[in-house]
Amino acid sequence: MLDLGIGFVNGIVRVNGVHWLITAAGIALYFVLLPYMTRGYTLGKWLVRVRLVSADGSAPTLRALAVRAGVFYGTILGINGVLSTAMNLNSESALVLVGCLLFFALVNLLLVVNFIANIRSRSFFHDRVSGVVNSPVQAVSRT
């Protein structure tokens, strides 16, 4: 039986049981609903004084936040989950394992390169697709 859930075991994304439901619910609550209800903040963004905004500077829509999280986590967890499953199903074949491992490394390297290449513009692939970006919060003057 093949389950399509995604969980983390020993640092490797692994397909198993209902982990995909728990993971998806956690992502939706923290990265979609929380910023929607707080007008662009998560705990981490609040701590570093950054918030998510739409291109026009307004609070992001629920749809835009869902697209942003879906593209980012769907890409990372989806590709890694598929590769992990392929590695688990073909664990006897060294050639398949090496091929999956190399592709796994290449995909993750491309994500890291994307982040490094776009660090100054702060516009990563999931931001461009969703139209939601990080924006520094202006300090309030206390004088």
Side-chain angles (χ1 to χ4, degrees):
M1 181 166 90
L2 175 65
D3 293 323
L4 297 178
I6 299 171
F8 292 92
V9 179
N10 298 328
I12 297 174
V13 178
R14 181 179 151 173
V15 174
N16 188 7
V18 297
H19 289 120
W20 72 271
L21 244 149
I22 295 167
T23 302
I27 288 169
L29 286 171
Y30 190 76
F31 294 105
V32 178
L33 289 178
L34 182 62
Y36 180 71
M37 294 176 6
T38 60
R39 300 184 50 82
Y41 290 99
T42 60
L43 178 60
K45 291 187 183 311
W46 178 75
L47 286 172
V48 297
R49 301 173 54 102
V50 170
R51 75 182 196 119
L52 295 171
V53 296
S54 294
D56 63 2
S58 64
T61 65
L62 189 60
R63 180 183 183 281
L65 289 167
V67 167
R68 182 178 190 270
V71 167
F72 184 73
Y73 291 102
T75 301
I76 292 174
L77 295 179
I79 291 171
N80 289 340
V82 168
L83 291 173
S84 176
T85 301
M87 290 173 67
N88 287 335
L89 293 176
N90 295 300
S91 60
E92 297 85 31
S93 171
L95 185 60
V96 171
L97 286 175
V98 170
C100 285
L101 186 61
L102 289 173
F103 188 68
F104 181 83
L106 176 66
V107 167
N108 286 290
L109 179 65
L110 289 174
L111 286 170
V112 170
V113 167
N114 178 269
F115 282 117
I116 292 170
N118 294 299
I119 198 85
R120 288 184 188 237
S121 69
R122 296 186 188 130
S123 180
F124 304 111
F125 69 97
H126 61 297
D127 297 327
R128 286 191 292 275
V129 170
S130 68
V132 176
V133 295
N134 289 300
S135 175
V137 175
Q138 301 298 323
V140 177
S141 175
R142 298 190 185 243
T143 56

